[in-house]
Each structure stands twice: as C-alpha cells, then as structure tokens.
PDB file of all heavy atoms in Angstrom:
ATOM      1  N   ARG A   1      14.301 -64.043   5.287  1.00  0.00           N
ATOM      2  CA  ARG A   1      15.670 -64.576   5.309  1.00  0.00           C
ATOM      3  C   ARG A   1      15.632 -66.097   5.365  1.00  0.00           C
ATOM      4  O   ARG A   1      14.599 -66.705   5.688  1.00  0.00           O
ATOM      5  CB  ARG A   1      16.436 -64.005   6.500  1.00  0.00           C
ATOM      6  CG  ARG A   1      16.461 -62.481   6.554  1.00  0.00           C
ATOM      7  CD  ARG A   1      17.414 -61.987   7.614  1.00  0.00           C
ATOM      8  NE  ARG A   1      18.793 -62.209   7.210  1.00  0.00           N
ATOM      9  CZ  ARG A   1      19.859 -62.127   8.035  1.00  0.00           C
ATOM     10  NH1 ARG A   1      19.661 -61.850   9.312  1.00  0.00           N
ATOM     11  NH2 ARG A   1      21.075 -62.328   7.597  1.00  0.00           N
ATOM     12  N   TRP A   2      16.770 -66.719   5.065  1.00  0.00           N
ATOM     13  CA  TRP A   2      16.818 -68.175   5.146  1.00  0.00           C
ATOM     14  C   TRP A   2      18.151 -68.629   5.731  1.00  0.00           C
ATOM     15  O   TRP A   2      19.154 -67.925   5.673  1.00  0.00           O
ATOM     16  CB  TRP A   2      16.566 -68.819   3.784  1.00  0.00           C
ATOM     17  CG  TRP A   2      17.678 -68.712   2.779  1.00  0.00           C
ATOM     18  CD1 TRP A   2      17.963 -67.656   1.967  1.00  0.00           C
ATOM     19  CD2 TRP A   2      18.643 -69.725   2.468  1.00  0.00           C
ATOM     20  NE1 TRP A   2      19.042 -67.930   1.165  1.00  0.00           N
ATOM     21  CE2 TRP A   2      19.483 -69.203   1.445  1.00  0.00           C
ATOM     22  CE3 TRP A   2      18.875 -71.015   2.940  1.00  0.00           C
ATOM     23  CZ2 TRP A   2      20.537 -69.935   0.903  1.00  0.00           C
ATOM     24  CZ3 TRP A   2      19.928 -71.743   2.393  1.00  0.00           C
ATOM     25  CH2 TRP A   2      20.736 -71.192   1.387  1.00  0.00           C
ATOM     26  N   GLY A   3      18.106 -69.808   6.330  1.00  0.00           N
ATOM     27  CA  GLY A   3      19.299 -70.354   6.953  1.00  0.00           C
ATOM     28  C   GLY A   3      19.318 -71.862   6.863  1.00  0.00           C
ATOM     29  O   GLY A   3      18.413 -72.486   6.301  1.00  0.00           O
ATOM     30  N   ILE A   4      20.369 -72.437   7.425  1.00  0.00           N
ATOM     31  CA  ILE A   4      20.584 -73.886   7.390  1.00  0.00           C
ATOM     32  C   ILE A   4      20.926 -74.371   8.786  1.00  0.00           C
ATOM     33  O   ILE A   4      21.769 -73.778   9.467  1.00  0.00           O
ATOM     34  CB  ILE A   4      21.731 -74.253   6.427  1.00  0.00           C
ATOM     35  CG1 ILE A   4      21.375 -73.872   4.984  1.00  0.00           C
ATOM     36  CG2 ILE A   4      22.069 -75.746   6.524  1.00  0.00           C
ATOM     37  CD1 ILE A   4      22.564 -73.934   4.034  1.00  0.00           C
ATOM     38  N   SER A   5      20.286 -75.435   9.207  1.00  0.00           N
ATOM     39  CA  SER A   5      20.651 -76.136  10.439  1.00  0.00           C
ATOM     40  C   SER A   5      20.933 -77.580  10.067  1.00  0.00           C
ATOM     41  O   SER A   5      20.037 -78.301   9.624  1.00  0.00           O
ATOM     42  CB  SER A   5      19.518 -76.062  11.464  1.00  0.00           C
ATOM     43  OG  SER A   5      19.893 -76.716  12.663  1.00  0.00           O
ATOM     44  N   THR A   6      22.174 -77.999  10.221  1.00  0.00           N
ATOM     45  CA  THR A   6      22.597 -79.313   9.759  1.00  0.00           C
ATOM     46  C   THR A   6      23.448 -80.016  10.805  1.00  0.00           C
ATOM     47  O   THR A   6      24.115 -79.367  11.607  1.00  0.00           O
ATOM     48  CB  THR A   6      23.395 -79.193   8.438  1.00  0.00           C
ATOM     49  OG1 THR A   6      23.858 -80.483   8.034  1.00  0.00           O
ATOM     50  CG2 THR A   6      24.596 -78.266   8.603  1.00  0.00           C
ATOM     51  N   ASN A   7      23.418 -81.347  10.782  1.00  0.00           N
ATOM     52  CA  ASN A   7      24.342 -82.122  11.609  1.00  0.00           C
ATOM     53  C   ASN A   7      25.618 -82.460  10.852  1.00  0.00           C
ATOM     54  O   ASN A   7      26.436 -83.244  11.323  1.00  0.00           O
ATOM     55  CB  ASN A   7      23.659 -83.405  12.104  1.00  0.00           C
ATOM     56  CG  ASN A   7      22.775 -83.152  13.322  1.00  0.00           C
ATOM     57  OD1 ASN A   7      22.690 -82.030  13.816  1.00  0.00           O
ATOM     58  ND2 ASN A   7      22.124 -84.186  13.806  1.00  0.00           N
ATOM     59  N   LYS A   8      25.792 -81.854   9.695  1.00  0.00           N
ATOM     60  CA  LYS A   8      27.023 -82.011   8.908  1.00  0.00           C
ATOM     61  C   LYS A   8      28.085 -81.085   9.489  1.00  0.00           C
ATOM     62  O   LYS A   8      27.828 -79.885   9.664  1.00  0.00           O
ATOM     63  CB  LYS A   8      26.740 -81.631   7.450  1.00  0.00           C
ATOM     64  CG  LYS A   8      27.795 -82.038   6.437  1.00  0.00           C
ATOM     65  CD  LYS A   8      27.412 -81.478   5.079  1.00  0.00           C
ATOM     66  CE  LYS A   8      28.089 -82.199   3.936  1.00  0.00           C
ATOM     67  NZ  LYS A   8      27.419 -83.482   3.641  1.00  0.00           N
ATOM     68  N   PRO A   9      29.280 -81.586   9.829  1.00  0.00           N
ATOM     69  CA  PRO A   9      30.316 -80.716  10.392  1.00  0.00           C
ATOM     70  C   PRO A   9      30.643 -79.543   9.467  1.00  0.00           C
ATOM     71  O   PRO A   9      30.566 -79.647   8.242  1.00  0.00           O
ATOM     72  CB  PRO A   9      31.514 -81.655  10.549  1.00  0.00           C
ATOM     73  CG  PRO A   9      30.908 -83.017  10.678  1.00  0.00           C
ATOM     74  CD  PRO A   9      29.699 -82.993   9.780  1.00  0.00           C
ATOM     75  N   ALA A  10      31.032 -78.440  10.067  1.00  0.00           N
ATOM     76  CA  ALA A  10      31.337 -77.234   9.299  1.00  0.00           C
ATOM     77  C   ALA A  10      32.457 -77.451   8.290  1.00  0.00           C
ATOM     78  O   ALA A  10      32.466 -76.825   7.229  1.00  0.00           O
ATOM     79  CB  ALA A  10      31.706 -76.102  10.255  1.00  0.00           C
ATOM     80  N   ALA A  11      33.393 -78.342   8.599  1.00  0.00           N
ATOM     81  CA  ALA A  11      34.512 -78.612   7.693  1.00  0.00           C
ATOM     82  C   ALA A  11      34.040 -79.128   6.339  1.00  0.00           C
ATOM     83  O   ALA A  11      34.765 -79.017   5.342  1.00  0.00           O
ATOM     84  CB  ALA A  11      35.470 -79.622   8.329  1.00  0.00           C
ATOM     85  N   TYR A  12      32.836 -79.685   6.289  1.00  0.00           N
ATOM     86  CA  TYR A  12      32.277 -80.176   5.030  1.00  0.00           C
ATOM     87  C   TYR A  12      31.142 -79.283   4.535  1.00  0.00           C
ATOM     88  O   TYR A  12      31.022 -79.046   3.331  1.00  0.00           O
ATOM     89  CB  TYR A  12      31.773 -81.612   5.203  1.00  0.00           C
ATOM     90  CG  TYR A  12      32.844 -82.532   5.712  1.00  0.00           C
ATOM     91  CD1 TYR A  12      32.894 -82.898   7.057  1.00  0.00           C
ATOM     92  CD2 TYR A  12      33.849 -83.005   4.875  1.00  0.00           C
ATOM     93  CE1 TYR A  12      33.900 -83.721   7.546  1.00  0.00           C
ATOM     94  CE2 TYR A  12      34.861 -83.827   5.349  1.00  0.00           C
ATOM     95  CZ  TYR A  12      34.883 -84.182   6.680  1.00  0.00           C
ATOM     96  OH  TYR A  12      35.895 -84.981   7.161  1.00  0.00           O
ATOM     97  N   ALA A  13      30.331 -78.772   5.455  1.00  0.00           N
ATOM     98  CA  ALA A  13      29.188 -77.944   5.051  1.00  0.00           C
ATOM     99  C   ALA A  13      29.639 -76.637   4.405  1.00  0.00           C
ATOM    100  O   ALA A  13      29.076 -76.216   3.379  1.00  0.00           O
ATOM    101  CB  ALA A  13      28.299 -77.657   6.260  1.00  0.00           C
ATOM    102  N   GLU A  14      30.638 -75.988   4.987  1.00  0.00           N
ATOM    103  CA  GLU A  14      31.060 -74.680   4.474  1.00  0.00           C
ATOM    104  C   GLU A  14      31.642 -74.765   3.050  1.00  0.00           C
ATOM    105  O   GLU A  14      31.214 -74.011   2.169  1.00  0.00           O
ATOM    106  CB  GLU A  14      32.033 -74.033   5.449  1.00  0.00           C
ATOM    107  CG  GLU A  14      31.355 -73.593   6.748  1.00  0.00           C
ATOM    108  CD  GLU A  14      32.327 -73.092   7.793  1.00  0.00           C
ATOM    109  OE1 GLU A  14      33.563 -73.167   7.556  1.00  0.00           O
ATOM    110  OE2 GLU A  14      31.868 -72.617   8.850  1.00  0.00           O
ATOM    111  N   PRO A  15      32.605 -75.662   2.781  1.00  0.00           N
ATOM    112  CA  PRO A  15      33.106 -75.739   1.401  1.00  0.00           C
ATOM    113  C   PRO A  15      32.061 -76.240   0.408  1.00  0.00           C
ATOM    114  O   PRO A  15      32.081 -75.853  -0.767  1.00  0.00           O
ATOM    115  CB  PRO A  15      34.299 -76.701   1.495  1.00  0.00           C
ATOM    116  CG  PRO A  15      34.139 -77.429   2.778  1.00  0.00           C
ATOM    117  CD  PRO A  15      33.397 -76.511   3.688  1.00  0.00           C
ATOM    118  N   LEU A  16      31.141 -77.093   0.877  1.00  0.00           N
ATOM    119  CA  LEU A  16      30.085 -77.564  -0.017  1.00  0.00           C
ATOM    120  C   LEU A  16      29.220 -76.391  -0.460  1.00  0.00           C
ATOM    121  O   LEU A  16      28.929 -76.230  -1.657  1.00  0.00           O
ATOM    122  CB  LEU A  16      29.229 -78.620   0.684  1.00  0.00           C
ATOM    123  CG  LEU A  16      28.013 -79.119  -0.098  1.00  0.00           C
ATOM    124  CD1 LEU A  16      28.439 -79.769  -1.407  1.00  0.00           C
ATOM    125  CD2 LEU A  16      27.197 -80.086   0.742  1.00  0.00           C
ATOM    126  N   LEU A  17      28.808 -75.552   0.485  1.00  0.00           N
ATOM    127  CA  LEU A  17      27.975 -74.402   0.141  1.00  0.00           C
ATOM    128  C   LEU A  17      28.733 -73.396  -0.726  1.00  0.00           C
ATOM    129  O   LEU A  17      28.159 -72.781  -1.633  1.00  0.00           O
ATOM    130  CB  LEU A  17      27.463 -73.731   1.413  1.00  0.00           C
ATOM    131  CG  LEU A  17      26.395 -74.523   2.170  1.00  0.00           C
ATOM    132  CD1 LEU A  17      26.145 -73.900   3.533  1.00  0.00           C
ATOM    133  CD2 LEU A  17      25.099 -74.600   1.374  1.00  0.00           C
ATOM    134  N   GLU A  18      30.019 -73.261  -0.468  1.00  0.00           N
ATOM    135  CA  GLU A  18      30.833 -72.367  -1.302  1.00  0.00           C
ATOM    136  C   GLU A  18      30.885 -72.884  -2.731  1.00  0.00           C
ATOM    137  O   GLU A  18      30.815 -72.116  -3.694  1.00  0.00           O
ATOM    138  CB  GLU A  18      32.247 -72.262  -0.720  1.00  0.00           C
ATOM    139  CG  GLU A  18      33.136 -71.286  -1.458  1.00  0.00           C
ATOM    140  CD  GLU A  18      34.493 -71.126  -0.793  1.00  0.00           C
ATOM    141  OE1 GLU A  18      34.670 -71.552   0.361  1.00  0.00           O
ATOM    142  OE2 GLU A  18      35.392 -70.557  -1.454  1.00  0.00           O
ATOM    143  N   SER A  19      30.991 -74.200  -2.871  1.00  0.00           N
ATOM    144  CA  SER A  19      31.044 -74.811  -4.198  1.00  0.00           C
ATOM    145  C   SER A  19      29.714 -74.649  -4.940  1.00  0.00           C
ATOM    146  O   SER A  19      29.695 -74.338  -6.129  1.00  0.00           O
ATOM    147  CB  SER A  19      31.381 -76.304  -4.060  1.00  0.00           C
ATOM    148  OG  SER A  19      31.237 -76.985  -5.281  1.00  0.00           O
ATOM    149  N   ILE A  20      28.612 -74.843  -4.231  1.00  0.00           N
ATOM    150  CA  ILE A  20      27.286 -74.770  -4.863  1.00  0.00           C
ATOM    151  C   ILE A  20      26.872 -73.328  -5.121  1.00  0.00           C
ATOM    152  O   ILE A  20      26.215 -73.013  -6.110  1.00  0.00           O
ATOM    153  CB  ILE A  20      26.239 -75.477  -3.977  1.00  0.00           C
ATOM    154  CG1 ILE A  20      26.594 -76.955  -3.816  1.00  0.00           C
ATOM    155  CG2 ILE A  20      24.840 -75.338  -4.566  1.00  0.00           C
ATOM    156  CD1 ILE A  20      26.676 -77.739  -5.109  1.00  0.00           C
ATOM    157  N   ASN A  21      27.247 -72.414  -4.197  1.00  0.00           N
ATOM    158  CA  ASN A  21      27.017 -70.977  -4.358  1.00  0.00           C
ATOM    159  C   ASN A  21      25.551 -70.623  -4.574  1.00  0.00           C
ATOM    160  O   ASN A  21      25.180 -69.944  -5.533  1.00  0.00           O
ATOM    161  CB  ASN A  21      27.867 -70.419  -5.512  1.00  0.00           C
ATOM    162  CG  ASN A  21      27.873 -68.897  -5.526  1.00  0.00           C
ATOM    163  OD1 ASN A  21      27.791 -68.263  -4.472  1.00  0.00           O
ATOM    164  ND2 ASN A  21      27.991 -68.318  -6.699  1.00  0.00           N
ATOM    165  N   LEU A  22      24.698 -71.085  -3.652  1.00  0.00           N
ATOM    166  CA  LEU A  22      23.292 -70.716  -3.716  1.00  0.00           C
ATOM    167  C   LEU A  22      23.137 -69.216  -3.508  1.00  0.00           C
ATOM    168  O   LEU A  22      23.773 -68.632  -2.642  1.00  0.00           O
ATOM    169  CB  LEU A  22      22.509 -71.461  -2.634  1.00  0.00           C
ATOM    170  CG  LEU A  22      22.136 -72.913  -2.923  1.00  0.00           C
ATOM    171  CD1 LEU A  22      21.649 -73.589  -1.650  1.00  0.00           C
ATOM    172  CD2 LEU A  22      21.080 -72.993  -4.011  1.00  0.00           C
ATOM    173  N   GLN A  23      22.250 -68.619  -4.295  1.00  0.00           N
ATOM    174  CA  GLN A  23      21.975 -67.187  -4.177  1.00  0.00           C
ATOM    175  C   GLN A  23      20.470 -66.958  -4.123  1.00  0.00           C
ATOM    176  O   GLN A  23      19.727 -67.613  -4.849  1.00  0.00           O
ATOM    177  CB  GLN A  23      22.586 -66.438  -5.358  1.00  0.00           C
ATOM    178  CG  GLN A  23      24.092 -66.471  -5.399  1.00  0.00           C
ATOM    179  CD  GLN A  23      24.738 -65.794  -4.199  1.00  0.00           C
ATOM    180  OE1 GLN A  23      24.215 -64.795  -3.701  1.00  0.00           O
ATOM    181  NE2 GLN A  23      25.862 -66.330  -3.743  1.00  0.00           N
ATOM    182  N   PRO A  24      20.036 -66.031  -3.273  1.00  0.00           N
ATOM    183  CA  PRO A  24      20.813 -65.241  -2.317  1.00  0.00           C
ATOM    184  C   PRO A  24      21.414 -66.146  -1.240  1.00  0.00           C
ATOM    185  O   PRO A  24      20.834 -67.177  -0.907  1.00  0.00           O
ATOM    186  CB  PRO A  24      19.774 -64.284  -1.723  1.00  0.00           C
ATOM    187  CG  PRO A  24      18.479 -65.012  -1.875  1.00  0.00           C
ATOM    188  CD  PRO A  24      18.577 -65.762  -3.169  1.00  0.00           C
ATOM    189  N   ALA A  25      22.564 -65.748  -0.730  1.00  0.00           N
ATOM    190  CA  ALA A  25      23.279 -66.573   0.237  1.00  0.00           C
ATOM    191  C   ALA A  25      22.498 -66.694   1.544  1.00  0.00           C
ATOM    192  O   ALA A  25      21.725 -65.806   1.905  1.00  0.00           O
ATOM    193  CB  ALA A  25      24.654 -65.973   0.508  1.00  0.00           C
ATOM    194  N   CYS A  26      22.725 -67.814   2.250  1.00  0.00           N
ATOM    195  CA  CYS A  26      22.007 -68.008   3.512  1.00  0.00           C
ATOM    196  C   CYS A  26      22.515 -67.026   4.568  1.00  0.00           C
ATOM    197  O   CYS A  26      23.677 -66.637   4.566  1.00  0.00           O
ATOM    198  CB  CYS A  26      22.156 -69.448   4.001  1.00  0.00           C
ATOM    199  SG  CYS A  26      23.782 -69.929   4.567  1.00  0.00           S
ATOM    200  N   GLY A  27      21.620 -66.672   5.463  1.00  0.00           N
ATOM    201  CA  GLY A  27      21.967 -65.727   6.518  1.00  0.00           C
ATOM    202  C   GLY A  27      22.437 -66.395   7.785  1.00  0.00           C
ATOM    203  O   GLY A  27      22.869 -65.717   8.724  1.00  0.00           O
ATOM    204  N   SER A  28      22.360 -67.732   7.833  1.00  0.00           N
ATOM    205  CA  SER A  28      22.762 -68.456   9.036  1.00  0.00           C
ATOM    206  C   SER A  28      23.062 -69.900   8.678  1.00  0.00           C
ATOM    207  O   SER A  28      22.226 -70.578   8.070  1.00  0.00           O
ATOM    208  CB  SER A  28      21.639 -68.402  10.083  1.00  0.00           C
ATOM    209  OG  SER A  28      21.908 -69.274  11.159  1.00  0.00           O
ATOM    210  N   LEU A  29      24.253 -70.355   9.045  1.00  0.00           N
ATOM    211  CA  LEU A  29      24.627 -71.759   8.905  1.00  0.00           C
ATOM    212  C   LEU A  29      25.030 -72.266  10.279  1.00  0.00           C
ATOM    213  O   LEU A  29      26.003 -71.796  10.858  1.00  0.00           O
ATOM    214  CB  LEU A  29      25.788 -71.933   7.927  1.00  0.00           C
ATOM    215  CG  LEU A  29      26.415 -73.335   7.879  1.00  0.00           C
ATOM    216  CD1 LEU A  29      25.402 -74.374   7.403  1.00  0.00           C
ATOM    217  CD2 LEU A  29      27.658 -73.337   6.995  1.00  0.00           C
TER     218      LEU A  29
END
C-alpha cells in the first residue's frame, strides 16, 4: 500500500490529488 504525509493543508492537498487522480489511489493522506 502507499500513502502521503504532507505539511500541505488538506484544503489544498485533497483537491490537488483529486485533480491529478493518481492510480491506484493512496490508502492514507
């Protein structure tokens, strides 16, 4: 599995990942 740990606030990280749509999707943000 893979995940993301970032200091980017969720208000920006979540829509960014939705826009990029990496697959398979991450299991943890």
Side-chain angles (χ1 to χ4, degrees):
R1 305 189 72 194
W2 73 278
I4 296 168
S5 181
T6 177
N7 279 359
K8 194 185 200 79
Y12 304 101
E14 290 173 355
L16 175 61
L17 288 170
E18 184 176 346
S19 171
I20 298 301
N21 192 32
L22 280 167
Q23 294 297 325
C26 69
S28 170
L29 170 63

